[in-house]
Amino acid sequence: MSDELQKDIEAYLEAHWDDVVSDIDALVQVESVEDLANVGEGSPFGPGPREALDRALGIAGRMGLETHDCEGYIGYADLPGASETQVGIIGHVDVVPAGVGWNFEPYGVTRKDGYLIGRGVLDDKGPIMVALHAVKFWADRAAAKGERLPYTVRVLFGANEETNMKDVPYYRARHADPAFLFTPDNSFPVGYGESGICSGTLLSAPIEGGHIVDMQGGQAPNAVPSMAWAVVRTGERELPDRPNVSVEKQGEGVCRVEAHGVAAHASTPELGVNAIGILVDYLVDSQVGTSEERAFLGLLSELHGSTDGSAYGVACSDEHFGALTTVGGVVSLSGGRFGQSLDFRYPTTVTAAEIEERVRAFAERAGATFSMEHDKEPFLMDPESPAVRALLDAYNDATGEQRSAVTSKGGTYARTFSVGVSFGVEKPWVKNPAWVGGMHGPDEGVSEDALKEAFAIYARTLGNLMQLEL
C-alpha cells in the first residue's frame, strides 16, 4: 500500500482520534442490555438497545452517510459507491449486563494509561465505531479527489447479538446479503471459521425441604462467572472461610457463602476461573444440603471440574477448531429446582444432538434433566479466497507481521450471512495489565493503540476490497 495512504491514515487519526473516543463513549453510556419485559414498537429488544441504535445511526448520519432504521431490529449506514454491490461491515450495539466486580464506571468510558475502560469498549461498541470511522476516512478521501468507490460500503449496527441474534434474520428477510462482509467482533488476524455453538439448561428434580435457601451465580450463559453465592441452613455447624470463599452469618443457623473466580468469555474458558465451580466444590466438601441437594451439587462439581466435555463423554477435537469446550455460566434456584446453563463450543467431529444425548444421560444420574435450546452449526470459509487474502494482507501490511487466517470458538455475526469472516480487534497473544478486564467481565478494557492499529487495518482493508471483483 502506498506511502500516501499511510500518511492519510496517520493524518486522520491525528485529527479525529478524540472524536473516535467520544463516539465510543456516546454508545458506552447506554446500558443496552436486552430487556424483553419492556419491548415496544420500534424497540423489539428493549429501550437500551433502541437508544444505542439511535446513537449509532446519529453518529453515522453526522458523518454524511445514508442511514436507515430497520424497525429497531438493526440499522445500517451506507457510503454509496459506483456500484450497488456491497462490502459489508457489521457490529453490535447491545451488551451483556455489567455484573459485579467493577472498579470503574461500566456505563461511560474511562481513559487511563492508554486504555479505555467501560462495558462495550471491546465488545463491540469500540470496534464498530473504529470501523465506522474507517468508512468515514474513505468517504473523505474519495470526496477530496472527486471520486466514488467502486462498491457501496454498508455498515450494519445489530441490536441483539449477545442473546439470540434475531436482528440478522429480520434484516436478511428484507435485504440481500453484501457480496462480502466482516465483523470487528473477535480477534485478529482473520477468522475464516467459527466452531459450533449450542446451549441448554440442566434442571434438577423438584426438591422439598431443602437446606439451600437460595443460590445464584453468573450474569450470562456465554461467560465464565466471576461470582456465585448460596444462602444455606447449617444448624449448629460453623462453616469456615477458605481461599476465594467467604462465609457470612445471615441469622440463627443460616449463612451466606460467596465464591469469587475470574471472568472470561465462554469461547476462552481457560482464561477464567468459574466461581460456580468454586462454590459447589465448597458446598460438597462441607456436606451442605439434603441427600437430594448433595446429589445435584455433586453433579455440578463434576461438570465444573473440566471445560473439555469429558464429564459428559463428549471430549473431542478436529483440525480446524481444536478441542470442544464447555462452560456453565449461570446457576439459579427457583421454584424448588436448581438450574445450570451449559454452553458448548464444538468442532466438526460431534453434533449438538450427540452432545444433548450424552448430557441427558449424565443428568439422569442425579434425577436431573437437560434440554438443548440453541444450536449454531460450525461454518468455514476458504482461507485462500481473494477476499480473505485481502483482509489478511491489510493486517500484515499494517502490523508488519506475517500471520495466517485462523478459526475461533466465538459466535459472531459472520456465521449468520452467506459470506462473512470475523476480523479483530483483539490480539490474544498480547497481554493487558492486570487491572484491565476482558469482554463480558468487569473492567472491560482495550488499548487505545490497539484501536488505532485496527483503524489502520480496516482502512487498508477497504482499499484492498475495492480492487477485487466481488
Side-chain angles (χ1 to χ4, degrees):
M1 199 61 73
S2 69
D3 290 341
E4 179 188 1
L5 178 60
Q6 179 61 29
K7 289 178 181 178
D8 288 348
I9 289 171
E10 293 172 358
Y12 188 95
L13 286 172
E14 178 69 25
H16 297 288
W17 183 246
D18 284 343
D19 298 331
V20 177
V21 175
S22 178
D23 290 340
I24 296 171
D25 183 43
L27 291 187
V28 172
Q29 288 176 22
V30 183
E31 188 177 352
S32 50
V33 176
E34 182 184 71
D35 181 6
L36 298 183
N38 291 290
V39 301
E41 185 175 354
S43 57
F45 310 119
R50 170 74 264 179
E51 183 180 352
L53 183 58
D54 285 338
R55 292 196 181 193
L57 291 173
I59 292 167
R62 289 195 298 273
M63 290 179 173
L65 304 182
E66 298 178 3
T67 63
H68 185 82
D69 170 26
C70 301
E71 294 74 47
Y73 282 84
I74 199 168
Y76 61 83
D78 284 349
L79 172 59
S83 165
E84 293 184 2
T85 299
Q86 294 174 11
V87 169
I89 305 172
I90 183 169
H92 63 91
V93 297
D94 62 315
V95 294
V96 299
V100 298
W102 286 75
N103 297 300
F104 300 87
E105 166 58 42
Y107 298 113
V109 169
T110 299
R111 297 178 86 170
K112 174 180 168 62
D113 298 342
Y115 285 81
L116 306 182
I117 307 293
R119 174 59 85 224
V121 295
L122 182 58
D123 183 27
D124 184 43
K125 294 174 176 180
I128 192 56
M129 282 296 102
V130 167
L132 182 66
H133 272 270
V135 177
K136 176 63 163 56
F137 165 82
W138 277 103
D140 292 350
R141 202 166 189 264
K145 296 184 176 184
E147 300 173 348
R148 299 184 80 186
L149 297 180
Y151 303 120
T152 294
V153 182
R154 174 164 292 184
V155 183
L156 292 129
F157 305 104
N160 191 228
E161 193 271 351
E162 291 292 4
T163 50
N164 296 313
M165 289 193 187
K166 292 182 178 179
D167 42 6
V168 170
Y170 186 91
Y171 173 84
R172 293 187 73 200
R174 293 158 178 80
H175 302 273
D177 282 0
F180 181 79
L181 171 142
F182 70 83
T183 179
D185 188 23
N186 205 323
S187 301
F188 284 129
V190 181
Y192 71 92
E194 294 176 5
S195 68
I197 302 176
C198 61
S199 60
T201 301
L202 188 70
L203 198 62
S204 75
I207 295 174
E208 296 183 4
H211 296 172
I212 301 176
V213 179
D214 198 1
M215 186 173 178
Q216 304 289 330
Q219 295 288 327
N222 60 347
V224 177
S226 61
M227 196 270 276
W229 56 268
V231 175
V232 300
R233 296 188 181 96
T234 58
E236 300 292 325
R237 288 197 301 145
E238 296 281 340
L239 297 182
D241 291 348
R242 76 182 190 191
N244 301 314
V245 179
S246 60
V247 181
E248 179 183 351
K249 285 191 174 181
Q250 298 277 286
E252 190 64 32
V254 178
C255 64
R256 175 187 167 103
V257 182
E258 187 170 301
H260 292 270
V262 178
H265 194 277
S267 63
T268 54
E270 69 278 5
L271 301 181
V273 179
N274 196 311
I276 299 171
I278 295 173
L279 175 64
V280 297
D281 284 351
Y282 179 89
L283 297 178
V284 167
D285 292 346
S286 302
Q287 296 186 324
V288 167
T290 64
S291 59
E292 289 178 306
E293 288 174 322
R294 289 200 300 271
F296 189 74
L297 289 175
L299 204 70
L300 293 186
S301 178
E302 189 174 347
L303 73 87
H304 285 294
S306 62
T307 60
D308 64 356
S310 55
Y312 322 101
V314 296
C316 58
S317 63
D318 73 4
E319 62 178 313
H320 295 291
F321 300 110
L324 176 148
T325 60
T326 181
V327 162
V330 177
V331 72
S332 63
L333 175 59
S334 178
R337 303 183 78 173
F338 294 94
Q340 172 69 70
S341 72
L342 295 176
D343 176 289
F344 296 87
R345 310 292 165 124
Y346 64 93
T348 58
T349 49
V350 72
T351 67
E354 290 172 325
I355 294 171
E356 182 175 28
E357 179 182 359
R358 296 178 193 178
V359 178
R360 281 180 174 173
F362 173 82
E364 287 173 359
R365 291 163 37 190
T369 61
F370 176 74
S371 59
M372 193 72 80
E373 294 151 2
H374 303 285
D375 178 40
K376 299 170 185 174
E377 295 181 350
F379 91 94
L380 290 163
M381 279 194 64
D382 179 2
E384 296 302 322
S385 67
V388 173
R389 288 298 317 178
L391 271 62
L392 190 59
D393 289 345
Y395 174 85
N396 286 331
D397 287 345
T399 63
E401 301 171 10
Q402 291 298 318
R403 294 189 179 271
S404 301
V406 297
T407 62
S408 79
K409 291 185 170 69
T412 75
Y413 283 129
R415 69 169 66 237
T416 63
F417 287 84
S418 54
V419 179
V421 297
S422 60
F423 193 38
V425 300
E426 285 193 286
K427 289 184 173 183
W429 58 91
V430 175
K431 302 303 179 185
N432 291 327
W435 54 269
V436 178
M439 62 171 63
H440 291 199
D443 297 332
E444 176 182 345
V446 63
S447 160
E448 292 192 50
D449 285 343
L451 291 180
K452 289 178 180 179
E453 185 175 70
F455 172 87
I457 293 167
Y458 297 146
R460 289 172 177 270
T461 292
L462 289 171
N464 286 357
L465 291 173
M466 292 299 154
Q467 299 176 46
L468 301 182
E469 289 188 16
L470 297 177

